[in-house]
Amino acid sequence: MRGHRGRSSTARAVMGLVAGVVSVAALFVCPAAALAQEETEAVPADSLPPLGPPTAVTATDTPNDRGYSINVTWELSDGEETGRVTSYRVYRSAHPETGFVFAGRAWPGNAEYRDGGAPENAPTYYRVSATDETGAESFSATSEPAVALPAWFNRDRVNVMIAVIIFVAAIIYFVTAARRGKDLFIRRLAGLDEVDNAVGRATEMGKPILYISGLSTVSDVATIAAINILGEVAKKTAEYNTRLIVPCADPIVMAVEQEVVKEAYAKVGRPESYNEDDVFYLTRSQFAYVAGVNGIMVRQRPATILYMGMFYAESLVLAETGASVGSIQIAGTDAVTQLPFFITSCDYTLIGEELYAASAYLSREPVLLGGLKGQDTLKMLIAITIIITTVVATLASVGVIQYDFMTPFLETQ
Amino acid sequence: MTLTFIWTTVGALLTLCVYSFLYKDNPFYKFAEHLVVGVSAGYYLVIYYFNFIDPNVVRPVFQLELGGEAVAFGGTEWWMALIPGLLGLLLYTRFFPKIAWVGRWPLGIYVGGYAGLGISPVMQARVIDQMQAASSPLAGVPDPFAAATNAALGFAIFVVLTYFLLVKRHIVARGIAMSIGAVVLSAVAGYGGYVVLSALSAQGVVSMTNILLVVGLLGTLAYFFFSMRHAGLLGGLARIGIIFLMVGFGASFGYTVMSRISLLIGRVSFLLTDWLHLI
């Protein structure tokens, strides 16, 4: 009985295995057979009629741009209906009959292309071809000429212009008010209150102050803010007759900083204390600069180190070395990814826009204070706008109002 | 011994010289430091010439060819290339004290030009576009991050309530049983909060992600108000803002540390694989 059951189960297992193999084979064979049948039934590509060309090709200058761009549109080929179109190829030429060169391509279903390589201020003609899977092209007629011209005014950015006008008007208003003697309040910034103490500490210890204005160029707002702060720090070091060391990573920044420090020393009546060799160019290479500054830190052992400006991956290496030599460290940057490192390794950190406010805070000059007040006004307007747009978007989303009429005001191209 | 091996060895030894700084400043580190600073300064001098001066001044002025095509300076006249070239030369007047003041002109044009050109793009990219992205409906929309947001908020309820009961209400001083009870109560409240928020999010009644976004944004904006005292409503908003900032910085810190570890692994891999062939 046991043996019979054993044979029976073995037979079932063998039959099951055979059935499984056959089933799996069928899965592969059947589609393959079906495909083969399809292939035999399919019409050879070369025997198909040629694609109908795209029609009604038009070329127009791209609006609101800075030139060198033409929009090309067409009506789709009739090959779209059978799915034979693989792409549309766009050609341009300075002459209507000859000299057409490839400008770009659009995918099937697309009836427009923006040619960003068009010559400026010259008539340009276009042809568009529909291409099938064999690569055969069916060309349209030549379009009327279009001329790529830069636009004086970008109407897609009217909202940006309004924001800039409001911003500049607010700054002018508050600068004027500050010049007339209006008292403008600035809240306390702990990091900047410590600059005085830090300079005093360096003077007492007879050690220098190291000022690092980051690796970026003068085109960076953070670098400009760092240069402004350097001027105020230099005035204090000149008053206390403390050495100020400024290694630079950019030659233009170095030239500007030399001027700023020199002027600061002259303003407090100590031009003879200014040493041009203390504001010097090190190198543009990121980690070579770090190696050089680290060397200065461990050899000069500055009492205070100020990091102001734009920083990248070098921030933690610099700040850790500064902490290891026992310096008081004050940092300020708008580099969001580097702020955590400065917060963890420096005594005080100016976060983002506090860096921009720093020069006004230190100098209390009416022009800078007015600018700061103008920025706060813009921030207030931004907050109010966000509240309004959020409320309107929510009301539109839950169906209380028909559509969100605020969002289009914030769209830019 | 191949040339590759020699240069790999030089690179490896310089790497070790730099790492010796971890012990303390020493002659090996000084050597590597001076070498890399000097080489990079010279390298960038050449880069500056061939990337900026040569294509923007020398070739346009002397009508030389670049890549087989005659250089047209921005499609305009060749002499226009002389303007930035001359401005650059004026920077060198600083070496002559009597006319050093002339060197401030190019600096003024450079700094002022960049600041002026920067206003419009910055206003668009950092203000208008950000405002548009932040203007999200607080309800009536599916919340793609609902599960994570609600779980985080449920956990936050648990942590805050536990802290409030144990520390602020001094329950921890009343014995272990009371403390465990307080923790269990907080856990139930946190889980309850998670369940309620999940139900509301699923029905589109609220979008907790968008609410957090708007509250965090307004709080952070409030923190960066400098011309008003941080007190009352503004002070409360600013406090919320700094919490959001610190949570963001914490996440960024962890993320960046991970990438730095990968740099270290890359360097160790260079030493052990490319140089010593141990791996």
Side-chain angles (χ1 to χ4, degrees), chain A residues 157 185-187 218-219 258-259 283-284 288 291 299 340 351 354 376 379 386 389-390 394 397 411-412, chain B residues 25 29-30 33 37 40 48 94 104 111 114 124 129 132 135 138-141 223-227 230:
Chain A
R157 292 187 187 171
F185 170 80
I186 298 186
R187 73 172 169 85
V218 171
S219 59
Q258 280 181 339
E259 289 293 326
T283 173
R284 189 82 192 91
R299 277 155 230 149
I351 300 170
E354 287 178 337
D376 273 8
K379 274 178 253 174
I386 287 173
T389 51
T390 302
T394 305
S397 181
E411 282 175 354
T412 57
Chain B
D25 192 26
Y29 175 75
K30 280 182 189 169
E33 174 201 326
V37 170
S40 65
Y48 277 131
R94 59 194 300 105
R104 292 184 176 189
V111 177
Y114 263 114
Q124 183 190 346
D129 288 352
Q132 190 194 12
S135 303
L138 307 183
V141 287
Y223 175 77
F224 288 109
F225 268 89
F226 300 109
S227 57
H230 280 185

Side-chain angles (χ1 to χ4, degrees), chain A residues 235-316:
Chain A
K235 281 181 194 166
K236 293 182 194 304
T237 58
E239 283 171 12
Y240 289 103
N241 204 19
T242 305
R243 189 181 171 202
L244 176 66
I245 303 173
V246 189
C248 302
D250 183 84
I252 300 290
V253 171
M254 180 203 71
V256 177
E257 290 188 339
Q258 280 181 339
E259 289 293 326
V260 165
V261 174
K262 188 177 179 182
E263 191 176 315
Y265 274 70
K267 265 188 181 171
V268 297
R270 293 203 167 162
E272 74 285 352
S273 300
Y274 169 66
N275 180 8
E276 196 172 72
D277 292 339
D278 280 342
V279 185
F280 55 93
Y281 175 74
L282 205 54
T283 173
R284 189 82 192 91
S285 172
Q286 181 183 22
F287 286 104
Y289 178 80
V290 173
V293 172
N294 280 357
I296 294 168
M297 284 180 189
V298 295
R299 277 155 230 149
Q300 302 283 344
R301 297 205 166 261
T304 303
I305 303 174
L306 296 159
Y307 307 95
M308 300 285 166
M310 176 54 88
F311 291 86
Y312 303 93
E314 74 284 355
S315 61
L316 188 60

Side-chain angles (χ1 to χ4, degrees), chain A residues 168-178 180 182 370:
Chain A
V168 173
I171 286 179
I172 290 173
Y173 171 77
F174 285 110
V175 167
T176 311
R180 287 176 183 164
K182 187 178 178 183

Side-chain angles (χ1 to χ4, degrees), chain B residues 211-221 237 240-241 244-245:
Chain B
I211 291 174
L212 280 178
L213 173 74
V214 172
V215 170
L217 177 63
L218 293 177
T220 309
L221 264 176
L237 268 174
I240 292 171
F244 272 85
L245 280 174

Side-chain angles (χ1 to χ4, degrees), chain A residues 320-408:
Chain A
E320 277 296 312
T321 310
S324 74
V325 298
S327 305
I328 280 191
Q329 300 194 100
I330 303 173
T333 184
D334 60 358
V336 178
T337 51
Q338 306 309 319
L339 273 167
F341 297 116
F342 282 136
I343 289 170
T344 50
S345 55
C346 292
D347 298 279
Y348 297 94
T349 306
L350 303 177
I351 300 170
E353 205 162 313
E354 287 178 337
L355 174 71
Y356 310 146
S359 52
Y361 187 85
L362 287 171
S363 68
R364 304 275 166 179
E365 279 186 26
V367 175
L368 297 175
L369 286 174
L372 196 60
K373 187 79 179 172
Q375 289 171 37
D376 273 8
T377 306
L378 185 70
K379 274 178 253 174
M380 179 76 82
L381 290 174
I382 289 170
I384 291 169
T385 310
I386 287 173
I387 291 170
I388 293 171
T389 51
T390 302
V391 169
V392 171
T394 305
L395 292 177
S397 181
V398 298
V400 176
I401 56 175
Q402 282 200 331
Y403 67 98
D404 179 359
F405 57 86
M406 282 300 292
T407 305

Side-chain angles (χ1 to χ4, degrees), chain B residues 77-214:
Chain B
E77 299 297 324
W78 66 269
W79 51 264
M80 291 188 77
L82 284 175
I83 298 172
L86 286 173
L87 284 172
L89 281 176
L90 286 181
L91 281 172
Y92 293 100
T93 58
R94 59 194 300 105
F95 294 120
F96 309 99
K98 282 188 179 176
I99 54 166
W101 55 273
V102 179
R104 292 184 176 189
W105 288 2
L107 289 179
I109 291 168
Y110 188 69
V111 177
Y114 263 114
L117 286 171
I119 286 178
S120 174
V122 167
M123 188 63 82
Q124 183 190 346
R126 294 196 186 180
V127 180
I128 305 286
D129 288 352
Q130 302 299 323
M131 282 166 69
Q132 190 194 12
S135 303
S136 313
L138 307 183
V141 287
D143 186 342
F145 305 107
T149 313
N150 297 335
L153 286 170
F155 184 69
I157 292 172
F158 165 68
V159 171
V160 171
L161 200 58
T162 305
Y163 175 77
F164 176 76
L165 292 173
L166 293 183
V167 180
K168 291 285 181 183
R169 288 292 170 182
H170 306 292
I171 287 178
V172 72
R174 296 184 201 171
I176 295 174
M178 288 282 283
S179 301
I180 292 173
V183 172
V184 171
L185 181 68
S186 304
V188 170
Y191 183 71
Y194 165 70
V195 170
V196 170
L197 288 175
S198 299
L200 293 175
S201 303
Q203 293 163 16
V205 178
V206 296
S207 169
M208 288 312 296
T209 306
N210 290 354
I211 291 174
L212 280 178
L213 173 74
V214 172

